[in-house]
Amino acid sequence: MYKKFLKRCIDIIISLAGLILFSWLFLIIIIAIVIDDPGPVFFSQKRIGKGKKYFQIYKFRSMKISTPGDIPTHLLENPEQYITGVGRFLRKSSLDEIPQLFNILKGDMSVIGPRPALWNQEDLIEERDKYGANDVRPGLSGWAQICGRDKLSIEAKAKLDGEYVQNMSFLFDCRCFFGTPISVLRGDGATDDKTEKQQKKREEAKV
């Protein structure tokens, strides 16, 4: 009952409430982005959704307009030079993810679930297949996010996503939901330049 019906109802209620309650924060962030680096305030990117179907994820733009297009951040040469001052704060605080409330309302995502993989993260997608983690809606936050976020290896992240799928319940979702702000405030596993460089090296090793 929870997985098939109640979870989606809760997603709709939380996303609607979030969009209303945080409308003032949206306005402040939008103004800050435009002042820092004039241009579009939102950024969309192709991600993997439930059943490995593609969807466009929404974020607040954290990169400069001059950033080369269609190139993942970790493949850029010195990606730090392209991140705006406001963008750096948004990424560190995870506030750049707030527009995904629209994705949740649309049904592309859930409040809690495995974070949606990039369309070209074949290693993560393949690893998640082992645990059935590609068969549920991806989430704004999830079990892996409060257990290490970007510091986790692909294998560890996929395994944690699998644990979430196996133990999915209202209480487990509550644990992830209330554990998320604690993890963000502590800065657990937040992506930094070192992480980006390590990821870049992994990508280059595959070529």
Side-chain angles (χ1 to χ4, degrees):
M1 177 66 75
Y2 177 73
K3 295 179 182 179
K4 294 182 178 180
F5 179 71
L6 291 179
K7 184 174 173 66
R8 179 60 188 150
C9 289
I10 293 173
D11 285 340
I12 293 172
I13 293 171
I14 291 179
S15 58
L16 275 174
L19 288 169
I20 294 171
L21 292 174
F22 294 119
S23 57
W24 60 273
L25 184 56
F26 265 75
L27 183 59
I28 292 174
I29 293 175
I30 287 171
I31 292 173
I33 291 172
V34 172
I35 291 175
D36 191 18
D37 188 57
V41 296
F42 295 108
F43 167 77
S44 65
Q45 189 177 55
K46 187 163 69 173
R47 295 291 182 107
I48 300 295
K50 182 179 180 181
K52 292 193 283 190
K53 293 181 178 179
Y54 295 138
F55 74 97
Q56 291 293 321
I57 196 172
Y58 306 127
K59 291 187 176 188
F60 279 122
R61 180 172 61 87
S62 59
M63 307 288 283
K64 297 177 181 177
I65 292 296
S66 59
T67 305
D70 299 323
I71 301 178
T73 302
H74 63 274
L75 292 181
L76 291 170
E77 186 66 33
N78 188 18
E80 279 292 306
Q81 68 177 314
Y82 296 108
I83 301 176
T84 65
V86 170
R88 189 168 288 104
F89 169 75
L90 292 176
R91 288 185 171 207
K92 186 69 175 178
S93 62
S94 294
L95 289 176
D96 61 323
E97 311 283 359
I98 292 181
Q100 285 158 45
L101 289 171
F102 289 109
N103 286 117
I104 296 171
L105 190 60
K106 285 175 58 183
D108 296 327
M109 295 174 60
S110 180
V111 175
I112 302 298
R115 281 296 296 165
L118 284 163
W119 64 273
N120 58 355
Q121 283 184 296
E122 297 176 359
D123 48 357
L124 177 58
I125 297 168
E126 183 178 347
E127 197 68 23
R128 281 177 169 175
D129 271 334
K130 299 176 182 179
Y131 303 100
N134 291 315
D135 299 326
V136 299
R137 282 191 181 91
L140 179 62
S141 184
W143 184 229
Q145 277 56 58
I146 65 173
C147 292
R149 294 172 71 183
D150 298 304
K151 287 184 177 180
L152 297 170
S153 66
I154 294 296
E155 293 77 13
K157 187 179 295 185
K159 187 174 182 180
L160 286 168
D161 290 334
E163 286 181 13
Y164 170 76
V165 173
Q166 291 181 345
N167 297 288
M168 189 189 301
S169 66
F170 176 71
L171 290 178
F172 197 41
D173 276 5
C174 285
R175 183 177 179 182
C176 295
F177 183 84
F178 291 109
T180 297
I182 296 174
S183 179
V184 171
L185 288 173
R186 290 191 311 210
D188 292 346
T191 303
D192 54 17
D193 189 44
K194 182 178 179 181
T195 304
E196 297 286 5
K197 289 179 179 178
Q198 290 173 340
Q199 192 170 3
K200 180 179 177 181
K201 288 181 180 179
R202 289 197 297 269
E203 292 290 335
E204 291 175 342
K206 296 179 183 178
V207 177

